[in-house]
Amino acid sequence: MINFTIEDRNGERQDLEIPEGINLSLMEVLKASEYNILATCGGMALCATCHVQVLNGFNDLPAAQDAELDMLDTLPDSDSDSRLACQIRVNEAIEGAVFRIKSDEPD
């Protein structure tokens, strides 16, 4: 099992335990776990509505690709520890990580 923590927009934390080998993105797991994530583009790194801040484990993640970095550059609240949840694969690399949901809540 892969264990990591999500902090919602209210600062409340929940530990998630996901089976290894599911081949999903963090965005897909957040939506399946009923977090209020818009994910307008469906995971193509085109909208930034799945913006997360990596509070713990940032250096363990694969580096962001150009499309993700370009999209993060458009966000006023993006920081050096920002990522798009759609571009993070749920695998052993995120074991123990802590993610804070930063994207705006859908209307």
Side-chain angles (χ1 to χ4, degrees):
M1 297 297 273
I2 300 167
N3 298 282
F4 56 95
T5 302
I6 302 298
E7 182 178 304
D8 67 17
R9 294 173 187 89
N10 299 321
E12 295 177 29
R13 289 190 175 192
Q14 178 181 357
D15 294 330
L16 294 181
E17 187 175 79
I18 306 298
E20 293 180 33
I22 61 169
N23 197 30
L24 294 175
S25 70
L26 180 59
M27 177 207 73
E28 292 166 317
V29 168
L30 290 174
K31 288 183 75 72
S33 301
E34 300 185 4
Y35 281 96
N36 202 0
I37 299 286
L38 191 54
T40 305
C41 74
M44 304 298 294
L46 297 172
C47 69
T49 58
C50 65
H51 177 205
V52 294
Q53 180 181 12
V54 185
L55 301 178
N56 185 48
F58 184 84
N59 292 329
D60 296 327
L61 299 174
Q65 300 299 307
D66 289 344
E68 179 181 2
L69 293 171
D70 290 346
M71 188 51 54
L72 287 169
D73 281 345
T74 69
L75 299 175
D77 60 345
S78 177
D79 209 336
S80 61
D81 57 358
S82 289
R83 292 295 301 268
L84 298 180
C86 68
Q87 299 301 299
I88 299 172
R89 302 311 296 175
V90 174
N91 58 33
E92 296 78 17
I94 71 168
E95 176 68 38
V98 179
F99 301 95
R100 175 184 292 150
I101 297 174
K102 295 282 287 183
S103 60
D104 292 334
E105 277 195 80
D107 293 332

